[in-house]
Amino acid sequence: MDSLKRFNSLIVLAIVYMAIAITQLPILENLWLYSFDDGTYSHAFLIPFISMYLYWLLFKSGELVFNQSIQKITLFAAIITAYMLWVSINAQFPTGYRISFILFITAVTTVIFKPSIKLVFPALFLFFLVPIWGAATTILQSISTYAATYLMSISGIPIFVEGNTISIPSGIFEIAGGCSGLRYLIVSLAISSLFTFLNIRKYSHALTFLFVAVVGALITNWLRITALIMIGHFTEMQSDLMQDHNSFGWYIYMPFMIWLFYFGQRFVAPIGGEKLKPSATKVNISSTFTAMLLITLISAPLRNLFIAPAANHNDCNVILSTLPVPQLIAPATSCIVASNNETLLKVDYVYSGKNIDGSVDNYLNSFTPFGWKIDKAYSGNESNVLLISRNSQKFKVIYSFSSNGKMTNNLTTLKKSKLVNSLFGSNETRLIWQAIPL
């Protein structure tokens, strides 16, 4: 029994993580779908294991120790992040609840354990598996286009640039999202921050190393793009790299990473002094109970208890398939069908909010009926209007969005309304849809 006591900190940490995982299962499912199953985040499978290893190092060095009392500032941080998570889930705001989820994990650990930069790093390292980095794609595309244009101007090869497209006499190159350098940037940040945590002690050295890692990743991508354009020019676009160049950039990036580790050796802190041993401090029951209470209060099952059950509306499948309907990849909870015939289709698609991905503004939803041609589209006061046709059929489609009864024709406005309404526990959204034959 005494031998187990020395592992108290690891056991409590494991219980906390398991409790968060169980109570926030919908978020884990969301991360699995949009992170682990996405090529851009193919490194995501490694991140949890690296975080576990970092916690093990903290334990071995005696730095994973329990708080002797509840600290007000860490408790306040945990409550704030818990509320942020609750609100962003109610608002069905994916970026918000993904960020809040990691911040909440980080804050909860500081309630139980003695807070330090080393303690919060393993939890914050989980950010590298969260699909929030795509927001940087557009700006990275623009920077990469500008850099490649400059490098090509030195080469003497004539080019014409329009947007993110670079044209040469032999062909056209588009600096697409996959060419933005995001993958190299994420990998560089992850590896360099890990190297810093393990080996560097001075803040100035850490910032220098991280800066070189980021700039090097960007330059690597610029050289990759320029090299591909030049190869395309000299081979008249016949090189196999013109069709498949996913691996090409890594052959340029790997030598840079080898050099980066060599460069980082000058900042490595010397190993010396007495090695710390795992601490066997007593579990602080009050701080541990407080953390577990917070985890329970914002749990998915408890949150769903506060969501009004969906009314007994119609099944959306009753709508006639011959009528123009929206393409709702994120299916509605139910439908209120006021009219469902060839002379008029009038239906409210209701999203109850229990599914964190189930909202009318889900990015996969399309409000253009499949198989119908749009002859004209315009916006009214609170509605959008489509004039559509298919064969001899013509319809006028009028649709708008609603959050807690507030109507709008704009998804951005809808998202803002959802965020405000979620502060007070309201998260139902609707798509109001009418199709009138012409």
Side-chain angles (χ1 to χ4, degrees):
M1 193 69 178
D2 290 337
S3 61
L4 283 177
K5 285 184 178 181
R6 63 190 294 264
F7 293 101
N8 276 348
S9 56
L10 283 180
I11 294 172
V12 170
L13 182 69
I15 292 173
V16 167
Y17 266 83
M18 288 178 62
I20 293 175
I22 293 171
T23 56
Q24 299 298 337
L25 194 58
I27 295 182
L28 292 186
E29 292 174 346
N30 178 274
L31 291 176
W32 179 269
L33 180 62
Y34 296 105
S35 179
F36 290 87
D37 201 28
D38 188 325
T40 303
Y41 300 93
S42 55
H43 60 277
F45 291 94
L46 298 174
I47 300 299
F49 295 102
I50 294 175
S51 288
M52 286 189 285
Y53 175 68
L54 296 179
Y55 279 123
W56 172 254
L57 291 180
L58 290 178
F59 168 74
K60 292 289 288 183
S61 63
E63 296 173 279
L64 187 64
V65 296
F66 292 105
N67 275 328
Q68 296 307 301
S69 61
I70 298 178
Q71 299 185 25
K72 293 180 181 179
I73 188 169
T74 57
L75 179 59
F76 178 74
I79 292 173
I80 290 298
T81 54
Y83 185 63
M84 288 169 53
L85 181 58
W86 177 279
V87 169
S88 56
I89 291 176
N90 279 343
Q92 297 165 306
F93 179 34
T95 301
Y97 59 65
R98 290 166 185 168
I99 292 175
S100 300
F101 180 63
I102 303 300
L103 293 178
F104 177 66
I105 293 174
T106 306
V108 164
T109 59
T110 63
V111 171
I112 300 174
F113 301 100
K114 186 177 180 180
S116 67
I117 293 178
K118 283 192 171 184
L119 174 68
V120 301
F121 182 82
L124 292 177
F125 194 74
L126 295 173
F127 267 120
F128 290 112
L129 65 77
V130 179
I132 58 175
W133 301 87
T137 299
T138 302
I139 189 170
L140 288 176
Q141 279 180 273
S142 300
I143 294 173
S144 296
T145 303
Y146 177 83
T149 301
Y150 174 75
L151 293 173
M152 287 302 299
S153 68
I154 300 175
S155 71
I157 299 173
I159 62 171
F160 174 75
V161 181
E162 184 177 9
N164 291 324
T165 302
I166 298 177
S167 301
I168 61 174
S170 303
I172 300 174
F173 293 83
E174 181 187 0
I175 314 299
C179 300
S180 65
L182 180 62
R183 293 181 185 180
Y184 306 122
L185 179 62
I186 295 175
V187 171
S188 280
L189 281 172
I191 293 177
S192 60
S193 62
L194 184 59
F195 184 90
T196 300
F197 175 84
L198 295 174
N199 301 297
I200 301 177
R201 297 294 173 262
K202 291 186 177 180
Y203 291 113
S204 59
H205 291 170
L207 291 175
T208 301
F209 185 72
L210 291 170
F211 176 79
V212 171
V214 170
V215 172
L218 296 177
I219 293 176
T220 296
N221 186 56
W222 303 340
L223 293 175
R224 179 187 72 92
I225 295 171
T226 305
L228 285 171
I229 295 175
M230 295 184 70
I231 292 171
H233 173 74
F234 290 116
T235 64
E236 295 292 329
M237 305 296 287
Q238 298 305 307
S239 171
D240 291 340
L241 289 174
M242 298 301 99
Q243 302 300 323
D244 183 9
H245 48 259
N246 285 335
S247 301
F248 178 70
W250 294 109
Y251 296 128
I252 301 175
Y253 181 76
M254 284 188 290
F256 162 70
M257 288 305 300
I258 294 173
W259 173 85
L260 182 66
F261 286 126
Y262 171 77
F263 172 76
Q265 291 303 311
R266 68 188 66 191
F267 301 136
V268 173
I271 301 175
E274 183 180 353
K275 188 175 181 181
L276 297 174
K277 296 181 179 180
S279 175
T281 56
K282 187 177 180 181
V283 179
N284 187 303
I285 301 298
S286 60
S287 61
T288 304
F289 175 79
T290 302
M292 296 301 289
L293 180 62
L294 272 177
I295 293 171
T296 304
L297 288 176
I298 63 167
S299 64
L302 190 61
R303 182 184 69 89
N304 287 337
L305 292 178
F306 290 91
I307 297 177
N312 189 22
H313 300 316
N314 306 94
D315 187 335
C316 297
N317 292 327
V318 303
I319 300 172
L320 296 177
S321 58
T322 56
L323 299 175
V325 294
Q327 301 178 65
L328 302 180
I329 306 302
T333 307
S334 60
C335 286
I336 303 174
V337 182
S339 179
N340 180 28
N341 55 62
E342 297 293 344
T343 60
L344 175 65
L345 171 63
K346 188 174 181 180
V347 56
D348 288 5
Y349 293 88
V350 182
Y351 289 83
S352 68
K354 282 199 172 185
N355 183 345
I356 64 173
D357 287 326
S359 176
V360 65
D361 59 304
N362 186 292
Y363 78 101
L364 292 173
N365 285 344
S366 172
F367 307 107
T368 301
F370 179 75
W372 292 78
K373 176 186 174 184
I374 299 178
D375 298 318
K376 187 177 180 180
Y378 58 93
S379 297
N381 185 24
E382 293 180 343
S383 302
N384 297 299
V385 180
L386 299 176
L387 300 181
I388 59 176
S389 61
R390 184 177 65 182
N391 300 326
S392 60
Q393 292 180 297
K394 290 187 177 182
F395 276 85
K396 179 180 181 180
V397 172
I398 305 171
Y399 68 93
S400 57
F401 314 110
S402 169
S403 175
N404 199 28
K406 183 178 180 181
M407 305 279 288
T408 180
N409 60 8
N410 185 275
L411 285 176
T412 301
T413 304
L414 176 72
K415 291 176 181 178
K416 292 178 181 178
S417 297
K418 285 171 54 182
L419 191 58
V420 172
N421 292 333
S422 66
L423 296 173
F424 307 100
S426 175
N427 54 357
E428 182 186 274
T429 55
R430 295 189 182 192
L431 168 64
I432 294 90
W433 185 271
Q434 292 185 63
I436 307 167
L438 299 176

